[in-house]
Amino acid sequence: MATSQEVPVYLFTGFLESGKTQYIQETLEDTDFNEGERTLLLICEEGINEYESSRFCFPQTTFIHSLNSEDELTLELLQQLQQQHDIQRVLVEYNGMWMLNT
């Protein structure tokens, strides 16, 4: 029987155009934060700035998945992405208009 392993989740919240994308971009470029972990970046809103994944420390182990609506963020989706990419940590650029308790 397989044991479940805890996966750290970093949740970035704030208003639209408050700098979340830039902060996450800089975090994923920072060698102090990255040692090659298999990282899922969930994008829950689209702002003006886009990610430059080629500038990430480990672009080959960072997987980006965009969500268009709050309804798409489900346990089933997260399990599917975990199985597909063998994720070791998750960064979420959360939509400031979505309820956090969801």
Side-chain angles (χ1 to χ4, degrees):
M1 183 166 116
T3 60
S4 63
Q5 183 177 10
E6 289 188 15
V7 175
V9 176
Y10 300 86
L11 182 65
F12 298 85
T13 64
F15 294 109
L16 186 63
E17 303 308 323
S18 64
K20 294 183 300 294
T21 301
Q22 180 178 346
Y23 185 77
I24 296 169
Q25 177 75 41
E26 292 171 0
T27 299
L28 290 172
E29 292 176 16
D30 188 346
T31 55
D32 289 336
F33 184 75
N34 295 283
E35 295 180 355
E37 298 91 335
R38 299 181 66 79
T39 302
L40 173 62
L41 172 55
L42 283 177
I43 303 171
C44 299
E45 67 181 12
E46 301 234 359
I48 294 172
N49 297 325
E50 294 186 14
Y51 287 97
E52 295 180 51
S53 59
S54 63
R55 295 182 55 195
F56 295 165
C57 286
F58 296 95
Q60 68 278 13
T61 60
T62 303
F63 307 94
I64 300 175
H65 187 83
S66 296
L67 302 172
N68 295 315
S69 72
E70 193 172 0
D71 296 338
E72 292 180 45
L73 185 55
T74 63
L75 179 59
E76 291 78 19
L77 173 67
L78 296 174
Q79 289 172 334
Q80 175 189 354
L81 292 169
Q82 168 62 25
Q83 185 176 23
Q84 183 178 357
H85 300 295
D86 192 26
I87 298 302
Q88 295 173 296
R89 67 180 177 182
V90 179
L91 279 70
V92 181
E93 181 179 2
Y94 203 70
N95 186 321
M97 301 301 291
W98 295 0
M99 300 300 295
L100 277 174
N101 62 353
T102 306

